[in-house]
Amino acid sequence: MNGPYEIIDRRFCDLILANVALRRISTGHLWTEGPVWFAAHQCLLFSDIPNQKIYRWMCDGSVNVFRDNSNFANGNTQDRQGRLITCQHGTRSVTRTEHNGKITTLVDQFDGKPLNAPNDVVVKSDGSIWFTDPTYGILSDYEGHKSTPEQSHRNVFRLDPETGELWQATTEFTQPNGLAFSQDEKLLYVAESGSSHDDSVPSVIRVYDVDANNMLENGRVFTTIDKGIPDGFRVDCHGNVWSSAADGVHCFDAGGELLGKILVPETVSNLSFGGPRGNELLITATTSVYAIHVNSAAATP
């Protein structure tokens, strides 16, 4: 098969297309992150963290600044009402952009102390907001403001946006990063990226069972990334997990077996399904954003 692929398992061939190319759709950035596709507006939003901007890519190929002075915005998603949810390193908070453009701070502390630096975020179908809170955004002044962590753990949190109540979902990570639910929302996957600063930490994606009360149980290793660290990832409609890595995007089946890779010339930070028909992978990778058509689509609970 032609194209930028490394095929490990023949099942990967059913998920990719032979006659497509990897396209660079935006470049000239410092560190791209947080891609989220807004089907209602036919656009991709993504962050350039050090440049403190959120950009908007349109299907006609144009790229413009959606938000300047973004407070070192990192991860983005949308809630069930189509509003932008953003993790901001600079304010150590999770915010919501209302339909009128107003920015509402949803949470910026836990147990009376500032959060570390919210990193990535997903919204469950019940409206609860789940986000990771590692320390990357306060380790230096490059992606935030250098500060001493005041939280005793690097948590995965669950937030009720209606009441503002915040729960520690798990404290088991050195540096939790990307996260995503399975299509039936009975599983939550979370990336462990602590090996970025500590070689003794395994580069793994962990998975948890989610019970009827939104509690996490039975945490275990789902898979290991063999190149670099796992950062952001997505689950597709077939239950496969598509993860960022140093050499591209790695695709794993529902059992954690590596099926293949889409090779990307820059270190990948995150990805999202999108495009006019929902069948493109939109990939943030260091200084650029890439796109490629695939034979799959996002999980839609």
Side-chain angles (χ1 to χ4, degrees):
M1 176 176 285
N2 296 323
Y5 307 120
E6 180 179 336
I7 298 170
I8 310 296
D9 186 302
R10 294 300 300 174
R11 289 176 292 165
F12 189 52
C13 297
D14 294 330
L15 299 170
I16 55 178
L17 301 167
N19 59 338
V20 302
L22 181 73
R23 302 157 9 243
R24 189 166 66 180
I25 61 175
S26 185
T27 193
H29 309 290
L30 289 178
W31 178 248
T32 58
E33 250 286 7
V36 55
W37 175 255
F38 278 82
H41 303 286
Q42 291 291 285
C43 72
L44 175 77
L45 298 184
F46 65 93
S47 301
D48 183 342
I49 304 175
N51 274 324
Q52 295 205 65
K53 297 181 188 298
I54 299 177
Y55 287 92
R56 175 171 45 202
W57 175 82
M58 307 296 293
C59 291
D60 64 5
S62 62
V63 180
N64 54 64
V65 176
F66 172 80
R67 177 171 299 157
D68 210 346
N69 301 313
S70 69
N71 282 306
F72 297 97
N74 186 345
N76 298 289
T77 193
Q78 60 178 311
D79 68 9
R80 297 295 157 161
Q81 289 73 47
R83 296 171 295 189
L84 175 67
I85 306 295
T86 300
C87 293
Q88 296 181 177
H89 288 178
T91 54
R92 298 163 74 167
S93 66
V94 178
T95 66
R96 181 177 65 211
T97 302
E98 311 297 345
H99 290 304
N100 63 7
K102 177 185 175 182
I103 299 175
T104 301
T105 297
L106 298 178
V107 64
D108 60 5
Q109 61 178 286
F110 175 71
D111 200 22
K113 299 176 182 178
L115 298 174
N116 293 318
N119 188 286
D120 207 351
V121 58
V122 292
V123 177
K124 197 167 178 271
S125 61
D126 63 5
S128 59
I129 297 171
W130 301 64
F131 66 95
T132 54
D133 190 39
T135 58
Y136 291 120
I138 56 174
L139 292 177
S140 72
D141 291 322
Y142 185 61
E143 293 189 12
H145 307 294
K146 187 175 183 178
S147 304
T148 300
E150 296 184 49
Q151 295 292 325
S152 57
H153 297 93
R154 281 64 164 153
N155 295 295
V156 179
F157 283 114
R158 170 170 54 91
L159 172 69
D160 182 336
E162 300 302 319
T163 66
E165 194 168 1
L166 187 65
W167 294 269
Q168 289 173 305
T170 178
T171 62
E172 296 179 347
F173 288 81
T174 301
Q175 292 282 31
N177 208 312
L179 71 173
F181 284 100
S182 60
Q183 181 149 305
D184 61 9
E185 297 186 329
K186 293 181 178 180
L187 299 172
L188 177 68
Y189 301 88
V190 184
E192 170 61 88
S193 60
S195 61
S196 61
H197 291 76
D198 183 349
D199 291 340
S200 69
V201 178
S203 295
V204 298
I205 297 174
R206 294 178 60 80
V207 63
Y208 295 83
D209 299 322
V210 184
D211 72 13
N213 297 312
N214 270 342
M215 304 298 289
L216 301 184
E217 301 176 329
N218 190 28
R220 66 267 187 200
V221 172
F222 168 69
T223 198
T224 300
I225 300 295
D226 64 12
K227 298 289 185 182
I229 62 173
D231 195 332
F233 56 88
R234 294 292 187 276
V235 180
D236 74 8
C237 55
H238 307 294
N240 303 303
V241 175
W242 301 71
S243 175
S244 61
D247 56 347
V249 176
H250 295 190
C251 181
F252 302 90
D253 71 8
E257 182 178 347
L258 180 62
L259 300 179
K261 304 179 181 182
I262 298 175
L263 302 177
V264 178
E266 300 182 73
T267 296
V268 173
S269 64
N270 213 328
L271 57 119
S272 181
F273 287 95
R277 302 180 66 183
N279 61 346
E280 289 183 79
L281 272 184
L282 303 165
I283 303 163
T284 52
T286 313
T287 68
S288 305
V289 180
Y290 295 84
I292 189 169
H293 284 86
V294 294
N295 192 26
S296 191
T300 53

